[in-house]
């Protein structure tokens, strides 16, 4: 038996969330069996959610409210440069929303398992090394990039995920609202970002919940692509939006694999960035998530040269001037980078350690 929210402001267990979301706020009277089986928090009403995240019900309403005219109020939005050019939009949640998202991540999303063999990003104990190792010493390595990975995942898909793990329509809608952001439109006259609220919302790049949600929503795609790859003799892993394939034989059926992967990706609601698809053969440099995999995984010569240049400045100019030029503590940066390289390749790490006085 389900009940529909009455939207009376004096009721503790109902919220006024705007006319767009109102039809979706239908709450359950009892937890579903799926929720019990997965041992997830039994959230039935808005008041249940407000209690576990330690928020006043009115503040929870404020975080979830949907309006066509409301300004973006819950994220700081800025851009950072991409490694290979261009910029990436980052939406960092403000403190109250960040706390709510952290609770959702720790108590709900951490209990969901993405594809156990394929997904290597955003998982405890795994790193770019685990994504690179299966593709070492292969005749062919192929990289396929997904375009606008997080923004490709809509409110509807996030809500569907929460419903699939046992939450009712109303609670799934609220959780999805808290984990997504409106697609912004820039007001060029005033230089301000104004939200197009409604339910035209997507996963924000910058929220702690986005990586786990994206990983879990890719499960079906990962299983489909893995099955295809195996049938053609390819190994497949995925690090976030970076799909990697490798084959022991130089005559691997690339012309069959790539178009079919594109088809699956599109069928699963993503778009391949065809301009970034790369086929790397063993006679040239093969790079997977920034690591060279022609033989054993190692850091690129370019990155090693950059470290050597900073280490040289550290030795000749001293810690203070190097820190000033680098914009961060020089010694901590050098030691941190050595620790990172040590995880990838011990021999390279020993070479770098010899360059600085630790």
């Amino acid at each position: 038996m389900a009940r529909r929210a009455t939207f009376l402001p004096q009721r503790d267990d109902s919220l006024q969330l705007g006319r767009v979301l109102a039809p979706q706020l239908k709450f359950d009277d009892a937890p579903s069996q799926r929720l019990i089986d997965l041992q997830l928090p039994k959230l039935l009403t808005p008041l249940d959610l407000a209690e576990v995240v330690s928020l006043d019900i009115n503040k929870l309403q404020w975080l979830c409210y949907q309006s066509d005219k409301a300004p973006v109020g819950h994220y700081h939005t800025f851009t950072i440069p991409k490694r290979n050019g261009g910029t990436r939009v980052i939406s960092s949640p403000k403190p109250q929303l960040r706390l709510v998202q952290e609770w959702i991540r720790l108590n709900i999303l951490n209990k969901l398992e993405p594809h156990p063999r394929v997904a290597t990003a955003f998982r405890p104990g795994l790193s770019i090394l685990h994504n690179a190792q299966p593709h070492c010493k292969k005749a062919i390595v192929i990289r396929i990039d997904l375009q606008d990975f997080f923004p490709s995942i809509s409110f509807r898909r996030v809500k569907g995920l929460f419903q699939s793990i046992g939450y009712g329509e109303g609670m799934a809608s609220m959780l999805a609202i808290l984990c997504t952001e409106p697609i912004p439109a820039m007001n060029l006259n005033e230089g301000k970002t104004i939200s197009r609220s409604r339910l035209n919302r997507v996963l924000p790049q910058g929220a702690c919940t986005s990586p786990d949600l994206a990983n879990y929503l890719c499960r079906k795609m990962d299983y489909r692509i893995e099955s295809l790859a195996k049938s053609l003799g390819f190994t497949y892993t995925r690090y976030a939006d970076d799909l990697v394939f490798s084959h022991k034989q130089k005559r691997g059926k690339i012309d069959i694999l790539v178009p079919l992967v594109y088809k699956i990706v599109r069928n699963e609601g993503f778009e391949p960035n065809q301009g970034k698809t790369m086929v790397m053969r063993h006679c040239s440099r093969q790079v997977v998530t920034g690591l060279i995999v022609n033989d054993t995984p190692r850091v690129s010569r370019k990155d090693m040269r950059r470290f050597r240049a900073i280490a040289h400045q550290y030795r000749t100019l001293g810690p203070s001037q190097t820190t000033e030029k680098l914009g961060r503590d020089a010694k901590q940066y050098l030691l941190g980078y050595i620790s990172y390289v040590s995880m990838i390749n011990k021999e390279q790490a020993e070479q770098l350690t010899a360059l600085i006085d630790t």
Side-chain angles (χ1 to χ4, degrees):
M1 185 70 179
R3 62 173 181 269
R4 188 171 295 278
T6 59
F7 304 102
L8 297 176
Q10 66 268 28
R11 285 278 301 277
D12 284 339
D13 63 344
S14 62
L15 299 179
Q16 293 190 6
L17 300 182
R19 60 185 176 82
V20 177
L21 189 58
Q24 305 190 44
L25 292 184
K26 187 177 181 181
F27 296 96
D28 295 335
D29 287 320
S32 69
Q33 188 59 47
R34 176 73 169 158
L35 213 59
I36 295 170
D37 292 342
L38 291 175
Q39 298 183 333
L40 295 172
K42 301 175 182 63
L43 306 175
L44 302 180
T45 71
L47 188 58
D48 292 338
L49 181 57
E51 285 182 1
V52 296
V53 299
S54 302
L55 269 187
D56 178 87
I57 192 72
N58 293 321
K59 289 185 178 178
L60 180 63
Q61 172 176 278
W62 175 65
L63 290 176
C64 294
Y65 190 79
Q66 292 295 285
S67 168
D68 297 340
K69 298 179 181 179
V72 175
H74 305 306
Y75 291 88
H76 293 294
T77 302
F78 55 94
T79 60
I80 59 173
K82 291 183 180 179
R83 183 170 183 173
N84 298 319
T87 58
R88 188 186 308 279
V89 177
I90 302 296
S91 296
S92 177
K94 293 182 181 179
Q96 281 195 329
L97 180 58
R98 185 185 301 276
L99 289 174
V100 174
Q101 290 177 346
E102 187 64 22
W103 186 92
I104 294 171
R105 183 183 71 84
L106 290 173
N107 294 278
I108 298 177
L109 302 181
N110 272 7
K111 298 180 181 181
L112 307 180
E113 186 181 25
H115 192 300
R117 295 180 300 277
V118 166
T120 58
F122 319 127
R123 298 180 64 191
L126 298 184
S127 68
I128 59 173
L129 179 62
H130 296 87
N131 189 57
Q133 281 177 325
H135 307 290
C136 289
K137 301 180 181 179
K138 297 293 183 70
I140 304 169
V141 176
I142 304 168
R143 280 173 35 205
I144 297 176
D145 181 71
L146 300 183
Q147 191 168 313
D148 299 325
F149 183 50
F150 286 143
S152 295
I153 299 175
S154 66
F155 166 87
R156 180 183 58 81
R157 294 179 68 183
V158 177
K159 177 188 171 184
L161 183 155
F162 283 117
Q163 286 181 295
S164 75
I165 60 177
Y167 288 104
E169 185 176 25
M171 187 53 59
S173 296
M174 291 185 66
L175 291 170
I177 286 287
L178 291 165
C179 293
T180 56
E181 66 166 340
I183 298 176
M186 186 63 71
N187 184 328
L188 298 177
N189 293 328
E190 300 180 13
K192 296 179 181 178
T193 300
I194 303 299
S195 114
R196 291 174 179 162
S197 295
R198 295 194 174 271
L199 294 184
N200 194 16
R201 302 173 67 94
V202 296
L203 279 192
Q205 176 106 19
C208 67
T209 46
S210 294
D212 287 336
L213 285 166
N215 249 359
Y216 195 74
L217 282 164
C218 283
R219 273 175 60 97
K220 182 182 174 184
M221 181 184 77
D222 285 337
Y223 275 107
R224 291 180 66 187
I225 294 177
E226 183 190 43
S227 178
L228 168 66
K230 280 185 175 180
S231 71
L232 296 173
F234 284 88
T235 298
Y236 165 55
T237 63
R238 180 181 58 80
Y239 194 90
D241 58 354
D242 200 4
L243 282 56
V244 187
F245 305 84
S246 59
H247 201 291
K248 294 180 179 179
Q249 299 177 4
K250 62 182 180 181
R251 296 185 179 275
K253 298 178 180 179
I254 302 170
D255 57 332
I256 297 176
L257 175 78
V258 173
L260 289 178
V261 170
Y262 286 169
K263 184 176 181 179
I264 293 173
V265 163
R266 290 189 175 109
N267 187 251
E268 293 296 330
F270 297 99
E271 183 63 30
N273 191 337
Q274 294 184 232
K276 288 189 175 181
T277 295
M278 295 184 66
V279 177
M280 300 166 284
R281 300 187 181 276
H282 199 266
C283 58
S284 61
R285 193 177 69 153
Q286 297 171 318
V287 184
V288 174
T289 44
L291 303 180
I292 311 300
V293 297
N294 294 68
D295 191 9
T296 58
R298 61 182 178 85
V299 177
S300 71
R301 291 179 182 176
K302 179 180 178 181
D303 288 343
M304 292 285 283
R305 282 197 299 268
R306 184 174 184 274
F307 179 93
R308 290 190 179 99
I310 297 173
H312 176 73
Q313 292 177 7
Y314 185 83
R315 293 194 309 271
T316 57
L317 300 177
S320 297
Q321 288 191 50
T322 308
T323 294
E324 186 176 346
K325 293 184 68 173
L326 196 60
R328 66 183 83 176
D329 186 284
K331 186 169 184 177
Q332 292 304 313
Y333 169 80
L334 293 170
L335 292 176
Y337 192 76
I338 288 174
S339 177
Y340 159 74
V341 175
S342 181
M343 176 186 72
I344 306 300
N345 189 300
K346 298 288 186 182
E347 184 179 339
Q348 285 184 307
E350 290 173 2
Q351 295 172 15
L352 298 182
T353 303
L355 297 176
I356 64 171
D357 179 14
T358 60

